[in-house]
Amino acid sequence: MLRLLILPALLLAAATPAEPPVVFVVSSLARVRPKDPAGSVREAVVKAARNEVEGVRLIVRAGTTPLSNVRVEASALAGPGGRSLPASCVSLFREHYIELKTASPKSKEGPGWYPDALIPPTPKDAPPPRFRGFPFNVPAGTNQGIYVELAVPKDAAPGDYSGELLVLTGQEAPVVVPLRLTVWDFELPAKPSLPTNFGGLGRRLQLGHPVRTGSPELKALERRYAEAMHAHRLNQPVPVQVRPLPGPDGGFPASFDPAPMKEWIESLSVTSLTFALIDDDPAGKDRARNVNYLRSLGVFLKAQGWDRMSWVQLFNEPSDADAYEEIRKRAALVREAAPGLRTLCTEQPRPTHPAWGTLAGSVDLWVPFWSDFDALSAARRRRAGDAVWSATAYCHAGPGGETPPALQGVHGARARHHQVLGDGARPRHGPDLGERGDEATLGHRVQGLRGQADLLHRDGEAGLLELLAEGLDEAPGQG
């Protein structure tokens, strides 16, 4: 009799439908952690120009029961006049969470789980990945983020488009999230208006991918990362294998073929090139070899038409008087060997200690960290003809822990010189799944147009402001 009583109870439990997920939408810049409360927005709205990539985040939250084998799909988008954009214009990435056990310096968030890398769907012919994008499981009472990215074609008709994002659990009817896109009636140029620099890829990629140095697999991987950066108007580092390398005397070998480097720069719209001095003591015992190297470099860059977008890095983050003196010696070396080459240093124009002396005249491109940015000294160097960018890594902040006011906006018309050098940043689709969770800036810019502008986080907004600035030039006094 006991068996007869238990069996119907089991059947009843099996027939009870699973609790449907809660699906909500946040902006592309919002970071939703696994246990954050659910939001209230149920519609994905994106606005973009032609030839722009823009995104939004979809968050799937499990109720009191876990979700398994969850998939997300995007439909085509119906537009004006019977036109449409195919579903292939929409890319989906699962947000991979990492546990940050030790907070970054000056971070306000503290340890915990954070969304970091974006994992794409696995191609059908690819081997099983270490981290799978789709389908995925969601523990009970937990969020899972999906980054939804729309790439607007150059020839897209302007107007409003509508489609759907479907969240399928295999147990319930799909959760349907309306997807609305407004395409503005202008096109962003293919070449970014914002020069940036993010260091190299090679060895950094090998931290997250089991590929050998110099292998075809690493070369192909570098290209994929570069193309992802290019789609978001970020400057791609030119890989070592296509750059000229110094010979025994420091000069470039006559056999060097610039065609692969030229193809990379032109096809990926590279906006800046950075070169390091060679050997351990460039201005001392290794001076002769560096003279030959710099002369070859100067001739090569000028012949290719790349000299005005290139920089020789003198030193990285000098921290004492000896380092300042070394920078002055290295700058004199560059001026002597190749007068047309411009120099770069990750330092602020105002020295930390006046006793160290000045670097004015030695540095052409100043790259202070956000925490060290001083608007007054930066303006002086700009008036002298220098360039001023800025760098960020980890969680730099000024006194009191806030972003310095000078980096929250720039007053004055057409203040378009302050740019960002994202030294050490990762491509947004990067697989760096370590435990630090540091996130460097990608493509931010400070720009003032007849007033004050905030730091711009959107991939295409530097280009948008360039177009706007051109319009302001044509119609002074308006806006």
Side-chain angles (χ1 to χ4, degrees):
M1 183 66 178
L2 181 60
R3 292 180 181 177
L4 295 177
L5 291 175
I6 292 177
L7 184 58
L10 292 175
L11 291 175
L12 181 61
T16 302
E19 183 180 354
V22 174
V23 181
F24 59 99
V25 177
V26 297
S27 80
S28 61
L29 298 177
R31 181 181 290 223
V32 178
R33 298 170 66 174
K35 295 297 184 179
D36 287 349
S40 59
V41 178
R42 299 292 188 266
E43 180 180 63
V45 178
V46 176
K47 297 181 180 181
R50 297 195 299 270
N51 198 34
E52 184 177 10
V53 175
E54 185 51 39
V56 69
R57 294 180 191 259
L58 188 74
I59 311 298
V60 178
R61 181 177 180 83
T64 56
T65 56
L67 302 172
S68 59
N69 294 317
V70 180
R71 294 179 293 116
V72 180
E73 298 177 357
S75 72
L77 290 91
R83 301 188 183 186
S84 63
L85 297 178
S88 58
C89 290
V90 183
S91 298
L92 303 171
F93 302 88
R94 181 183 66 80
E95 295 182 353
H96 180 88
Y97 294 86
I98 63 169
E99 185 180 15
L100 184 60
K101 297 179 180 179
T102 302
S104 301
K106 300 183 182 179
S107 171
K108 298 179 181 179
E109 299 297 329
W113 289 89
Y114 289 87
D116 189 67
L118 302 180
I119 312 297
T122 304
K124 293 181 179 179
D125 57 348
R130 179 183 175 192
F131 298 99
R132 186 176 66 179
F134 301 87
F136 55 85
N137 302 327
V138 186
T142 301
N143 299 316
Q144 174 59 61
I146 307 298
Y147 192 82
V148 181
E149 191 170 74
L150 288 87
V152 182
K154 295 181 180 180
D155 58 353
D160 295 326
Y161 293 76
S162 61
E164 294 177 340
L165 297 170
L166 303 178
V167 178
L168 304 101
T169 64
Q171 300 174 346
E172 298 287 330
V175 176
V176 179
V177 177
L179 174 61
R180 310 208 183 280
L181 168 67
T182 297
V183 177
W184 291 322
D185 192 13
F186 60 90
E187 177 185 335
L188 288 187
K191 187 169 184 177
S193 60
L194 171 64
T196 53
N197 190 299
F198 295 98
L201 291 176
R203 286 178 295 177
R204 295 177 182 176
L205 296 187
Q206 291 176 281
L207 295 175
H209 297 273
V211 290
R212 292 180 294 103
T213 301
S215 65
E217 292 80 11
L218 178 58
K219 293 178 181 179
L221 193 64
E222 283 185 307
R223 186 74 186 205
R224 287 176 59 193
Y225 271 75
E227 289 173 351
M229 295 175 73
H230 179 241
H232 297 85
R233 288 178 171 75
L234 302 178
N235 190 60
Q236 310 81 43
V238 178
V240 172
Q241 64 264 20
V242 301
R243 286 174 172 249
L245 299 177
D249 67 347
F252 296 163
S255 60
F256 174 71
D257 179 10
M261 185 174 179
K262 185 175 183 179
E263 186 279 331
W264 184 284
I265 289 173
E266 293 182 352
S267 64
L268 296 172
S269 303
V270 172
T271 59
S272 68
L273 298 169
T274 303
F275 297 87
L277 295 169
I278 59 175
D279 302 328
D280 297 328
D281 189 8
K285 65 181 180 64
D286 301 313
R287 180 182 177 87
R289 192 163 181 262
N290 273 272
V291 167
N292 290 334
Y293 167 71
L294 290 167
R295 286 173 178 168
S296 295
L297 180 62
V299 171
F300 170 73
L301 293 174
K302 190 168 185 178
Q304 299 298 325
W306 300 332
D307 52 319
R308 300 314 297 168
M309 70 175 191
S310 299
W311 313 89
V312 175
Q313 184 163 358
L314 300 174
F315 207 93
N316 186 42
E317 302 178 35
S319 58
D320 55 35
D322 290 341
Y324 265 50
E325 182 59 25
E326 180 65 22
I327 290 169
R328 287 187 282 264
K329 291 178 180 178
R330 293 182 181 187
L333 167 68
V334 175
R335 306 292 193 227
E336 172 193 329
L341 289 180
R342 297 182 295 173
T343 59
L344 173 159
C345 185
T346 48
E347 179 67 333
Q348 67 276 4
R350 182 182 61 185
T352 304
H353 297 287
W356 297 357
T358 181
L359 296 179
S362 297
V363 175
D364 299 313
L365 171 56
W366 305 81
V367 189
F369 280 113
W370 285 13
S371 53
D372 299 324
F373 183 84
D374 174 68
L376 183 60
S377 60
R380 288 197 190 105
R381 296 319 309 159
R382 292 192 193 105
R383 287 195 296 269
D386 295 349
V388 182
W389 295 12
S390 76
T392 182
Y394 310 132
C395 298
H396 288 113
E402 299 297 332
T403 299
L407 288 176
Q408 296 174 3
V410 176
H411 291 278
R414 299 298 300 277
R416 294 163 43 207
H417 298 86
H418 184 84
Q419 300 156 341
V420 169
L421 177 78
D423 183 36
R426 300 192 296 271
R428 181 156 58 180
H429 298 177
D432 187 352
L433 305 179
E435 295 182 351
R436 286 195 59 83
D438 303 322
E439 196 169 67
T441 301
L442 298 184
H444 297 188
R445 184 180 192 171
V446 176
Q447 184 161 356
L449 294 175
R450 305 191 188 278
Q452 185 176 19
D454 292 332
L455 277 175
L456 303 175
H457 296 267
R458 183 170 176 169
D459 297 326
E461 278 186 336
L464 293 176
L465 286 180
E466 286 290 341
L467 296 175
L468 177 58
E470 292 172 5
L472 289 175
D473 282 344
E474 295 171 1
Q478 298 183 15

